[in-house]
Amino acid sequence: MDDKTRLVTAGRPAGDGLHYVNPPVQRASTVLFPSMAALRGPRDPIRQTGYARYGTTTSFAFEDACAAIDGADGALALPSGKAAINLTLAALLDPGDHLLMCDHVYGPTRDFCDGYLSRIGVETTYYDPLLGAGIAELLRPNTKLVFTESPGSQTFEVMDLPAISGVARQRGALVLLDNTWATGLLFKPFDHGADICLQAATKYLVGHSDAMLGVVTWKGDIGEKLVSRVNEFGAPAAPDDCYLGLRGLRSMSARLAQHEAHAFEIAKWIQDRPEVERVLHPALPDCPGHALFKRDFLGSSGLFGVVLRPVAVESVAAMLDGLRLFGMGFSWGGFESLIIPAKAKRTVTPWPLRTTDGPLLRLHIGLEHTADLKADLDAGFARLRAAARP
Ligand SMILES: *Cc1c(COP(=O)(O)O)cnc(C)c1O
């Protein structure tokens, strides 16, 4: 079955009696048991059904659909992408453990390593995201997890996941991947060596900027330990949000195809602008890791970076403040276009990667017509040039 068909059919359990296209939103706390024997169990260790804190039929349907798209053995919905990432790290790391973390990771993930994980005695070593099999030199006997994100937040380098996971597996460390940019449609996490995959479903899965949601999927026998430990925190995803995630998934292949085409068109157009030093987009040949992108990815999504030629921050503000179609906001992946000034926080790999120290912008290209978006940006560049004139 193709993924397009899977997105339409997965997570649609047959009801008892009437058949509707969509499953109901099951709002619940209490689950009633038909007998004392049923109340006493036993229950499935991964998908407990005796209390709505462990999930509802709505979250189970969303999880089933996510697992089908990723090719996973199981999935767990959590209330945000950040919750999915942080609760998974907290669940699998104990005091004294060592974590390898890619240097271009999503900022709040870095904050969690430097904050909570550091406080409980987990040591984090940041590594060059382009090091590939060179990760071998950084693995220690107590390295439990290797965290990857590809392409990276803000700077979009593509990682060699098969090389990293090949080494990590030999040394007994699990590989985690933040797959939010590509989703399971454009990068198959478990075909490339990930053990656990994390996503901000808030972005492309929900797809309409109207809910926060996260999901963790896994392959192999880690599921029972992962779910029981994450459940110790008691943070289930809300059924209404799971419903929105499931509804978003149904149209995700059509939306992503449009995001990909529009974003690539704008990326190439913007690359030729005199105000622009460089565009950071994995499908462009000069993006670090582009060959890996071509080898491993099935396509690109709508988010990329733009490095401007050096210019005062006031000029950038003149450009951004007057945009009509591009909104200024952080959480991307919805139907609308966004632009923000971005910052790459690094501790082991230098940024900028080349010579420029111009300002960095991050663009999300939505579903608007590209001619309208180009006109909006064109007027923005004119304001930038006017503001920069002495
Ligand atoms: C947005 C994002 C997250 C966090 O997701 P939330 O749902 O906003 O908590 C995690 N990782 C990446 C790469 C993201 O872009």
Side-chain angles (χ1 to χ4, degrees), residues 80-82 85 106 149 153 178 180 200 202-203 212-213 332:
S80 70
K82 185 169 162 75
I85 294 164
Y106 178 65
E149 183 181 320
S153 279
D178 183 334
T180 300
T202 308
K203 310 278 170 56
M212 305 287 308
L213 191 62
W332 45 276

